[in-house]
Amino acid sequence: MRHFDPSQPLIFIHVPKTAGNSVRETVFSWFEGRSYRHYYDAAKQTMPPRRDLTQLGAQHGPPLIMGHFNKRRGFGIQDYYPQVSQFLTILRDPLEMHVSRFHYTRRVRKTGAIHDDIGDSDLDAHINTGHLNMLE
């Protein structure tokens, strides 16, 4: 296991439906003044901004970039920050993620903020046939 180097940037890979909202406040407090979000804006259909880590590091110390990284959609780590070599993530039981994603999608799909690939399926059908984007 690699040891954390506080002199280098850190990427927090927020796997969808895996404690992002719960953890963000705490992690951002650890990197106060040097924490940046990396999320695709579905409503505006805009990519996350690309940050100049060298400039940010010179101003406040090494930054933390936290968000959803997705190579298939063009905003993966290698697309944005290939020079970063330390990462943090939280993993969750895949079944719990599936159930959480099902209920979340049902709750917010009318806002247009997310892609609704659940449709009218019930929870059992979603668990059996739905895809989990943990590895994207």
Side-chain angles (χ1 to χ4, degrees), residues 77-95:
I77 293 169
Q78 292 299 314
D79 300 310
Y80 276 70
Y81 307 109
Q83 73 278 25
V84 176
S85 62
Q86 49 185 11
F87 309 94
L88 172 68
T89 195
I90 294 174
L91 299 178
R92 184 177 185 186
D93 178 271
L95 177 59

Side-chain angles (χ1 to χ4, degrees), residues 8 12 29 44 53 55 57-58 66 80 83-84 87 99 103-105 112 130:
Q8 297 298 312
F12 186 109
S29 74
K44 295 179 183 176
L53 301 184
Q55 181 183 7
M66 178 180 184
Y80 276 70
Q83 73 278 25
V84 176
F87 309 94
V99 171
H103 291 295
Y104 174 78
T105 300

Side-chain angles (χ1 to χ4, degrees), residues 12-69:
F12 186 109
I13 303 166
H14 171 200
V15 177
K17 309 316 309 159
T18 308
N21 291 328
S22 304
V23 173
R24 185 180 302 118
E25 189 174 314
T26 300
V27 173
F28 274 28
S29 74
W30 296 341
F31 290 81
E32 191 170 350
R34 54 195 178 117
S35 304
Y36 304 91
R37 296 173 185 238
H38 179 90
Y39 292 95
Y40 177 80
D41 187 331
K44 295 179 183 176
Q45 296 185 345
T46 57
M47 300 294 263
R50 190 178 317 263
R51 312 282 181 174
D52 181 343
L53 301 184
T54 306
Q55 181 183 7
L56 294 176
Q59 293 176 352
H60 306 291
L64 165 79
I65 308 293
M66 178 180 184
H68 297 158
F69 292 86

